[in-house]
Amino acid sequence: MNMQVKGLYKFVSQAALSGAIAMGSSVVAAQSFPGGSPITASDLTATPAQLPAPPPQYQLNDPISHEQFARFAWRQFIYLNSPTKKASSGQSNVSPVVRGTVDPNANFVTSGNPRFYQSGKSSTDNFSNNILLWESYAHRSELFPKNAKASGDFPTLLPKYDFINLSVPSSQARFNNLDENSQIGQNKIFFPKNGSTPSANPYDDYEVLFEAKVNQTEYDYIKGLNVTPNEPLENFDLPNETIEIKAAWRVLSDDLAQSGRYHTAEALYYKGEGSEAQAHVATFGLIGLHIIRKMENYEAFVFSTFEHVDNLKKPNGAETGLYFYTTYNQLSYQSTVSSTPHAIVNTGTNLVQLPLPTAGDITPANGYEFINGNFTQPTATSAGPIKVVQPPTITNAVTSVNQEVKNAMAQSKQFGNSVWQYYQLKGVQPLPVNEDSSVAGKANPLTQDYFLANNVIESSQPGIQLFKGGAPGPLPQPPNTTNCSQPVPSAGQPSVNCLPNPRAGSTAANIQNVPNLVVPGISHGDQNSIVMGGCMGCHGQAKYTNKDGTTSSIFSFLISQPNLEGNGGFTADPFDQTGVSLSTAAQKYMATQGK
Amino acid sequence: MSNWSAPQALSIPAGKLVIFCATHQAQFQQQIQIIDTNGQPITFQTFDGQSHSFPITGQGTGVNLFANGNGKFIMESGYQIQFRNDHSQTSLVAASTVEFDLNGIVYGGGTLFVTDDQGGPEPDYNDTSLSLQWFNSQG
């Protein structure tokens, strides 16, 4: 895109955002941001795709538009979903692909073939050599194996997974490893198998499973750290160009598997509790993808997320019936939240005030959209099934850029059979910001996508969809309590599992002591009182306790002191986890993964 | 009657003359109030839930518009606005604000509010429309 046209676009965009058209004003010279220029067919077919350069520093007097950030997010998606370079043949005990390196001879068109993964399989190898770039990244259990430190050579590392509860040797491994069975411990989410009505037992339906991966920049940084047991680092600060991925997958019905609408791949999943856990393999369809990337001037990471277009509605318009069970049965706001809790959403052209569920039991009367029927609860303190809904949080800028990408795909004439035409950007968060204070005011352009959430990765209101503030896990409580404030019972199945939801005041500030963080219009000291929402706000709760006792937001839930010391690791969650095991895992999820 | 929606601060500078106009096309009764810093209503509008014709607007005495203030009031700091309906759900509220400025000085502006009483399968924000327009009252 030439700069003249880009500059004109930027001027028009600024006028729309400010709501004021200043006739006769001169065009502001735009900062160079190639990653924010309109997406064209050549972006989609570039061989190989390029990771877009970081955005320039955000300037209040020359702001980057949300459309530009949305295009940047799409360019990252194109790059990360391009094929990984194949390794030289004939080497044993090394990865069949050069992990973290994009294939110089293939592109986003190649990986969009519905049989991309399958066509890279041979009868003699459990690995396909047709792997998306992000799929080649290190799984969290490779970054932090059980009681060990990462030590591999990232490009050639042959996947094997050492969990706390089991190990998967390379001979049985796959690149995709779905070891998480919940939405950060808060919900378990399912697609009905029969029509759009949940089965009586949710495990008879199609459960959504998750995995987290990191790129070589993070892997090598962690590998290079020398952490002495019981001695915190001076500070922990992931390097720029760190990328983390969270992916959501589902088992597809035969019809969906043959539909050509999903990127599919074989993946590991787990069955059985504790030491009984065993790895299994099935073919899954990709339905959600978080991409977070740390860059100069964007020290709180840039968060973006993509969804499959069929998650809530089928191609014929019928509802899929996507539903979830919470792992808690009570919700509490802190006293500073008004008696009519609400969220203010910035769509880019207007502000929307949305009521949130009221405090108390998780019931229809308190604002949850329960599905009627007789159902088996996963635990004694879960609630559901609750229908997944989409609040009006999608910005006009993102809708516009999604259409721009569809137009570019049509223009290229190479995406007619591509699975990528069925994925869409949900939103992007470039910088931390406070929620707009009133719908009857002028919106801050940076609050667009403030409540960023993926419909299959963050689905419950206000727990993680329409989230802001603090993110503690559910707390077991004695009977007849109402505000999550009682001492936690020592053990066993609690009768109440209460989710605290701090949304205002100092207890809700979630991004703290981030070195080099620059937030336009906010002094470095005041940055510690920002109450961010959505993905970034939640990840701001991931903290590291420095040597001097201060805590810093590190935005990665994978990092913990035991993990850094080589005394940690992760547990592979069985997909059908129930009862006390599930309640306990839910209560500990944020505590063990975020601190 | 539903709960009032959470009060939202009006971002209108104090001293501005505010005029307003409301329409509605809803099965349920709709109410709007602007409250001062003490939570006391300065206007209270009730739109008849049986009036399906559209628009209901103008000087509107037949629909109990402008019960206090003849369709205008002087803005004072701290005013807030909220909505409700006689269905069971709290009204969803959306708004868009524009400002009119010259040489960096804000002379006037307006806010358009729309609400949905959640009486249908999906919010369509067509139950109440309220516009506030404001400008300098002297000069």
Side-chain angles (χ1 to χ4, degrees):
Chain A
M1 198 62 190
N2 68 54
M3 292 303 293
Q4 187 176 9
V5 174
K6 182 185 170 193
L8 176 61
Y9 164 77
K10 192 172 184 65
F11 170 65
V12 172
S13 173
Q14 281 178 261
L17 284 171
S18 68
I21 301 175
M23 299 300 291
S25 296
S26 60
V27 175
V28 176
Q31 301 178 84
S32 177
F33 182 21
S37 61
I39 304 275
T40 65
S42 60
D43 289 307
L44 302 171
T45 58
T47 308
Q50 302 289 325
L51 181 66
Q57 188 175 53
Y58 191 89
Q59 308 282 350
L60 289 176
N61 60 356
D62 183 20
I64 298 168
S65 72
H66 208 59
E67 285 90 345
Q68 289 175 295
F69 282 122
R71 294 178 181 127
F72 173 79
W74 256 111
R75 285 189 167 88
Q76 291 188 146
F77 183 87
I78 292 165
Y79 170 78
L80 291 165
N81 285 288
S82 293
T84 308
K85 181 180 180 180
K86 292 176 175 57
S88 303
S89 59
Q91 300 181 78
S92 58
N93 290 323
V94 299
S95 167
V97 295
V98 182
R99 301 180 73 173
T101 299
V102 70
D103 188 336
N105 302 312
N107 61 21
F108 192 54
V109 177
T110 316
S111 60
N113 185 324
R115 290 188 48 77
F116 171 70
Y117 176 88
Q118 291 298 333
S119 61
K121 283 275 289 181
S122 73
S123 59
T124 58
D125 196 342
N126 50 304
F127 293 108
S128 170
N129 64 4
N130 277 345
I131 296 295
L132 303 177
L133 186 64
W134 70 262
E135 291 177 319
S136 80
Y137 284 0
H139 187 267
R140 66 175 185 166
S141 62
E142 293 177 285
L143 181 68
F144 294 117
K146 174 188 175 183
N147 293 333
K149 295 183 177 181
S151 58
D153 174 55
F154 188 94
T156 60
L157 184 63
L158 190 62
K160 69 182 183 73
Y161 306 111
D162 290 319
F163 289 103
I164 292 170
N165 53 337
L166 82 162
S167 293
V168 182
S170 293
S171 59
Q172 297 174 22
R174 303 293 188 276
F175 277 97
N176 289 299
N177 181 6
L178 312 185
D179 62 327
E180 295 182 68
N181 67 12
S182 71
Q183 297 181 330
I184 61 168
Q186 290 195 8
N187 314 306
K188 290 179 69 72
I189 180 169
F190 306 86
F191 286 89
K193 188 171 283 185
N194 299 308
S196 57
T197 303
S199 299
N201 182 343
Y203 295 115
D204 290 335
D205 284 335
Y206 299 121
E207 184 175 4
V208 178
L209 299 175
F210 309 90
E211 64 178 334
K213 286 175 169 276
V214 305
N215 71 346
Q216 184 171 358
T217 299
E218 180 169 352
Y219 183 90
D220 285 348
Y221 176 77
I222 296 293
K223 187 174 79 170
L225 287 175
N226 186 17
V227 182
T228 305
N230 301 315
E231 285 190 23
L233 299 167
E234 293 284 343
N235 60 59
F236 179 89
D237 190 20
L238 286 165
N240 288 336
E241 295 307 329
T242 288
I243 295 176
E244 289 191 359
I245 300 288
K246 187 159 202 176
W249 299 79
R250 60 164 289 184
V251 171
L252 301 171
S253 64
D254 289 343
D255 285 349
L256 289 184
Q258 300 302 317
S259 69
R261 296 172 72 90
Y262 291 85
H263 168 69
T264 61
E266 287 181 335
L268 296 172
Y269 70 101
Y270 300 89
K271 188 172 184 179
E273 301 278 0
S275 60
E276 303 292 313
Q278 287 187 326
H280 297 256
V281 175
T283 297
F284 289 79
L286 180 68
I287 56 173
L289 193 70
H290 277 334
I291 301 168
I292 74 172
R293 177 181 171 196
K294 184 177 182 181
M295 293 162 284
E296 184 178 10
N297 299 317
Y298 294 87
E299 304 286 335
F301 289 72
V302 170
F303 288 73
S304 59
T305 192
F306 291 78
E307 295 171 345
H308 195 279
V309 299
D310 297 341
N311 283 349
L312 296 184
K313 290 194 173 177
K314 301 173 184 177
N316 65 5
E319 293 190 342
T320 61
L322 182 65
Y323 69 93
F324 64 94
Y325 285 86
T326 61
T327 59
Y328 51 90
N329 55 357
Q330 196 174 92
L331 173 82
S332 171
Y333 299 107
Q334 81 276 38
S335 59
T336 51
V337 172
S338 77
S339 59
T340 51
H342 62 280
I344 297 179
V345 169
N346 177 6
T347 68
T349 51
N350 54 270
L351 295 167
V352 184
Q353 177 186 2
L354 300 174
L356 295 172
T358 48
D361 293 339
I362 309 301
T363 60
N366 282 331
Y368 300 91
E369 197 157 338
F370 274 71
I371 299 167
N372 292 326
N374 295 318
F375 302 101
T376 304
Q377 297 288 324
T379 78
T381 56
S382 60
I386 299 171
K387 179 182 177 184
V388 176
V389 297
Q390 178 57 58
T393 55
I394 302 171
T395 63
N396 298 319
V398 167
T399 302
S400 167
V401 171
N402 281 335
Q403 187 59 50
E404 184 178 289
V405 173
K406 290 185 91 170
N407 293 345
M409 285 182 176
Q411 187 181 23
S412 80
K413 302 187 189 310
Q414 296 183 64
F415 286 85
N417 295 317
S418 173
V419 299
W420 301 130
Q421 61 189 315
Y422 304 112
Y423 292 83
Q424 62 189 6
L425 175 66
K426 184 63 171 292
V428 55
Q429 293 180 311
L431 286 162
V433 65
N434 285 307
E435 184 183 17
D436 287 302
S437 59
S438 168
V439 295
K442 288 187 67 178
N444 180 345
L446 285 172
T447 57
Q448 293 173 92
D449 284 324
Y450 178 87
F451 290 107
L452 182 61
N454 188 302
N455 56 22
V456 291
I457 306 177
E458 295 94 4
S459 304
S460 58
Q461 297 179 23
I464 40 180
Q465 191 188 57
L466 298 177
F467 166 83
K468 71 178 250 193
L475 299 173
Q477 296 280 275
N480 303 317
T481 56
T482 57
N483 56 6
C484 303
S485 63
Q486 299 301 307
V488 174
S490 57
Q493 177 72 58
S495 51
V496 174
N497 215 12
C498 183
L499 183 72
N501 188 218
R503 298 182 75 85
S506 59
T507 58
N510 48 26
I511 294 175
Q512 293 173 311
N513 301 319
V514 180
N516 307 314
L517 177 62
V518 175
V519 182
I522 299 178
S523 71
H524 195 70
D526 288 344
Q527 289 171 13
N528 288 339
S529 59
I530 295 175
V531 182
M532 181 53 181
C535 302
M536 185 186 288
C538 182
H539 277 248
Q541 287 287 342
K543 302 287 200 321
Y544 183 79
T545 302
N546 304 304
K547 193 169 188 176
D548 65 1
T550 61
T551 57
S552 299
S553 295
I554 57 173
F555 301 97
S556 172
F557 286 111
L558 306 180
I559 313 296
S560 68
Q561 186 66 16
N563 280 353
L564 293 175
E565 292 175 1
N567 294 317
F570 296 98
T571 299
D573 298 337
F575 83 97
D576 53 352
Q577 192 173 21
T578 58
V580 175
S581 168
L582 177 58
S583 295
T584 304
Q587 290 150 15
K588 291 182 177 176
Y589 195 95
M590 297 299 285
T592 56
Q593 305 204 21
K595 307 297 180 188
Chain B
M1 191 63 74
S2 74
N3 293 325
W4 284 108
S5 62
Q8 297 293 291
L10 293 170
S11 62
I12 303 171
K16 300 291 184 185
L17 177 66
V18 183
I19 61 173
F20 55 88
C21 174
T23 64
H24 109 299
Q25 52 161 357
Q27 175 185 359
F28 301 105
Q29 191 184 87
Q30 312 288 317
Q31 295 185 351
I32 307 168
Q33 68 175 351
I34 294 174
I35 55 177
D36 64 16
T37 51
N38 297 317
Q40 298 301 309
I42 67 162
T43 66
F44 188 88
Q45 322 295 341
T46 299
F47 301 151
D48 183 354
Q50 300 307 308
S51 300
H52 293 155
S53 60
F54 179 82
I56 302 166
T57 185
Q59 293 302 307
T61 53
V63 290
N64 200 22
L65 279 168
F66 313 150
N68 180 5
N70 288 324
K72 63 183 181 183
F73 62 90
I74 301 298
M75 184 67 197
E76 294 184 17
S77 62
Y79 280 4
Q80 297 179 294
I81 190 167
Q82 53 191 155
F83 300 80
R84 72 176 175 183
N85 61 80
D86 71 351
H87 187 219
S88 58
Q89 302 292 312
T90 304
S91 294
L92 304 176
V93 182
S96 184
T97 297
V98 296
E99 287 182 352
F100 173 74
D101 64 89
L102 292 172
N103 295 330
I105 300 172
V106 176
Y107 288 91
T111 302
L112 173 66
F113 296 88
V114 292
T115 74
D116 189 281
D117 58 23
Q118 304 192 69
E122 284 190 279
D124 48 14
Y125 288 90
N126 67 347
D127 294 321
T128 302
S129 173
L130 169 72
S131 66
L132 301 181
Q133 300 168 59
W134 48 276
F135 48 89
N136 288 339
S137 60
Q138 295 178 340

